Amino acid sequence: MRSIRRVVAAGLVGGAMTLTAACGGSGGGGGSAAKADLGAGAAGAKPTAAAPINTVPKVSKAAVSIEPKAGSVDVAPNALKIGATGGKLTTVKVNDKAGKEVPGTISADGSSWTPTAGLEVGTAYQVSAMAADADGAVATVDSNFSTLTPTALAKAADNVDNNATYGVGMIVSVNFSKDVKNKDEVAKGISFETDNGTVVKGHWFDSRRLDFRPEQYWKPGTKVVVHYRLKSVEIAPGVYGGDRDEPFTIGRSQISTVDVAAHKMTVVQDGTSSDIDISAGSPEHPTWNGTMVVMSKEGVVRMQSSTMPGMTGAPYDLQVPHSMRLTDSGTYVHGNYWSKSSTFGEDNVSHGCVGLKDVEGGGAGTSMGKFYDGSLIGDVMIVKNSTKKETLDPANGLSGWNVPWSNW
């Protein structure tokens, strides 16, 4: 700076002087401009005053909207909506009172932000959102609200026990204690995590029952965790659910096919096949055709003709061993000790069930005893060639395999 002042002073004393630019190449535009500027100064032109700095910030054309309004209480967990007009959202942060951030995504066009899951009930939240207009001017809005505390709960009970092992035909059936109005949201609130990527889908049979299964039978050894995230899902107006996780495993494969006309059952377990003589439903009380699943292993069950509507023939009251339920309406595969040995493999005499040879009280070494001990809840039972004309209702037991995947 001192050398420049010296040059300027010399110019004032000695008149116009040719100067060399401090930077820029020889003959470059920078040098000419420098000479012109200094020449003008040397001619005694008055210095120009510096332009004033504008300290007033620009007002953004962007506007951020947050619903619910600041200070709102008893807000539904799915009611949060954040949007922008006149610009695009750049940052959105939603935190609960403990500082835990709610994950969410800004839309591709920057016009809205959506949480990836419903908010927690009975929780206070802070919101801070920023949007920028085309010139980069930013608008910021802060808000707060609290979600409602449920006054009623709906229980979601299923047929799965933690860490249990089931057959490849297992269908997870969820029954709600109240009629479900928001079926889509409830179905989204129940997810299946599998270790091999098996996709599971739900099917509503009525307003309280939701069944889940994959497209094909489960692969043996599949590890599954059912995630219930219904605590903040409105199942019915003002009614919410709960959260929990339920792990289970799919065991070996066992698929049994009953040929009613041949009086035989073919059992295929992990590729190994064996035939067992059976007696199915009589012509007066034929067995259902279709695919069924072992719902429960109930051991000795008292069966009475008086409890079966429309039952004809001689009345009975029996303690039936090794009973495994196949339908809600009372179809079982069970032991039979009261029929002659020649009945099995030769005749169908039951009242709709599938009977295997057994002894009173149940014997471990009998046909039914061995089959019972080797079976799992979730094993597949397929019945064919029965004279029954009616179609098995897919909601009768775990019979959802009779529904095509496209309709599931």
Side-chain angles (χ1 to χ4, degrees), residues 282-315:
S282 68
E284 295 78 18
H285 305 288
T287 306
W288 293 106
N289 284 305
T291 301
M292 290 164 264
V293 172
V294 175
M295 299 172 60
S296 58
K297 297 177 69 174
E298 301 177 10
V300 177
V301 174
R302 184 182 183 184
M303 298 187 184
Q304 300 171 282
S305 56
S306 59
T307 64
M308 302 297 292
M311 189 64 64
T312 60

Side-chain angles (χ1 to χ4, degrees), residues 75-90:
V75 174
N78 60 352
L80 177 60
K81 296 179 181 179
I82 301 175
T85 57
K88 296 182 178 181
L89 289 169
T90 58

Side-chain angles (χ1 to χ4, degrees), residues 298-308 311 314-323 332 334-339 344 349-351 353 355 359-362:
E298 301 177 10
V300 177
V301 174
R302 184 182 183 184
M303 298 187 184
Q304 300 171 282
S305 56
S306 59
T307 64
M308 302 297 292
M311 189 64 64
Y316 61 87
D317 186 349
L318 298 168
Q319 297 291 335
V320 180
H322 290 136
S323 297
Y332 283 81
H334 60 64
N336 179 333
Y337 60 85
W338 52 89
S339 295
F344 304 98
V349 299
S350 83
H351 289 79
C353 295
V359 296
E360 188 170 0

Side-chain angles (χ1 to χ4, degrees), residues 131-295:
D133 63 16
D135 297 325
V138 175
T140 301
V141 176
D142 296 322
S143 186
N144 58 37
F145 65 92
S146 60
T147 54
L148 58 81
T149 299
T151 57
L153 298 175
K155 184 179 180 181
D158 64 25
N159 56 335
V160 174
D161 290 329
N162 284 345
N163 301 310
T165 299
Y166 298 104
V168 296
M170 185 60 177
I171 292 177
V172 177
S173 185
V174 184
N175 288 272
F176 294 87
S177 59
K178 297 181 183 294
D179 291 344
V180 176
K181 302 298 182 183
N182 301 321
K183 290 184 176 180
D184 289 344
E185 291 301 314
V186 169
K188 291 177 184 177
I190 305 174
S191 61
F192 283 69
E193 177 187 351
T194 61
D195 67 344
N196 56 15
T198 300
V199 175
V200 179
K201 191 165 64 172
H203 179 85
W204 289 97
F205 282 111
D206 54 36
S207 61
R208 296 195 178 195
R209 178 177 171 183
L210 175 60
D211 282 13
F212 291 89
R213 69 168 176 88
E215 182 175 4
Q216 306 294 335
Y217 299 140
W218 298 91
K219 294 179 181 178
T222 301
K223 295 186 181 302
V224 187
V225 181
V226 188
H227 298 292
Y228 286 87
R229 296 296 180 266
L230 300 174
K231 178 181 177 181
S232 298
V233 175
E234 190 177 30
I235 293 174
V239 180
Y240 289 77
D243 294 352
R244 68 180 187 273
D245 296 323
E246 293 182 341
F248 66 89
T249 301
I250 301 299
R252 84 291 175 273
S253 173
Q254 178 171 294
I255 300 173
S256 303
T257 302
V258 174
D259 187 333
V260 174
H263 318 293
K264 298 283 185 183
M265 179 171 70
T266 300
V267 182
V268 179
Q269 187 178 107
D270 286 338
T272 300
S273 178
S274 60
D275 290 334
I276 303 175
D277 292 335
I278 60 96
S279 178
S282 68
E284 295 78 18
H285 305 288
T287 306
W288 293 106
N289 284 305
T291 301
M292 290 164 264
V293 172
V294 175
M295 299 172 60

